[in-house]
Amino acid sequence: CPGFRNHFAVKATPNPYILQVLKEEGCGTDCSSIAELVLSEEMGFKAEEIMFTSNNTPIKEFKKAKQLGALVNLDDLSHVDFLHKEDGLPEMVSFRFNPGPGRTG
């Protein structure tokens, strides 16, 4: 599918050898901490290949994601104001959406 990239959750297996194989296969990384962002950077993943999805995140981790050019994936609308005030919003963000337990499709 043109334009599609699977992002591997680094926290599942933060192993450089596995990440290298996934990179060779065209996958990206989904990071939830600064350590995973640094590992992705060290493994040669580029901006568009890194997604940052995190909860209760310190500003230094958002700053690292922004410095790498990672796609920042937010799960709380309050993070928009927080990022705007603390470091400015990245050029592109995405949002996780949870329709709630009553949603049936």
Side-chain angles (χ1 to χ4, degrees):
C1 180
F4 175 80
R5 174 174 284 120
N6 194 7
H7 288 80
F8 175 75
V10 177
K11 66 182 170 186
T13 310
N15 181 305
Y17 298 104
I18 291 173
L19 292 178
Q20 183 61 42
V21 170
L22 291 167
K23 182 171 179 39
E24 290 168 4
E25 294 298 320
C27 292
T29 59
D30 183 19
C31 304
S32 63
S33 70
I34 199 164
E36 295 168 15
L37 287 167
V38 170
L39 180 57
S40 295
E41 178 183 32
E42 292 294 320
M43 293 302 301
F45 287 92
K46 303 294 182 215
E48 66 278 0
E49 299 170 329
I50 304 170
M51 179 175 278
F52 183 63
T53 305
S54 182
N55 309 36
N56 301 316
T57 307
I59 191 63
K60 71 178 187 175
E61 296 194 11
F62 280 120
K63 286 182 176 184
K64 181 64 175 178
K66 186 177 176 186
Q67 179 235 325
L68 293 175
L71 174 61
V72 175
N73 189 29
L74 303 173
D75 65 355
D76 184 335
L77 284 176
S78 70
H79 290 154
V80 173
D81 286 336
F82 173 72
L83 283 176
H84 179 68
K85 289 176 187 171
E86 296 294 328
D87 192 44
L89 287 168
E91 185 175 322
M92 183 185 300
V93 296
S94 66
F95 292 92
R96 289 194 290 184
F97 175 72
N98 181 352
R103 181 80 174 154
T104 60

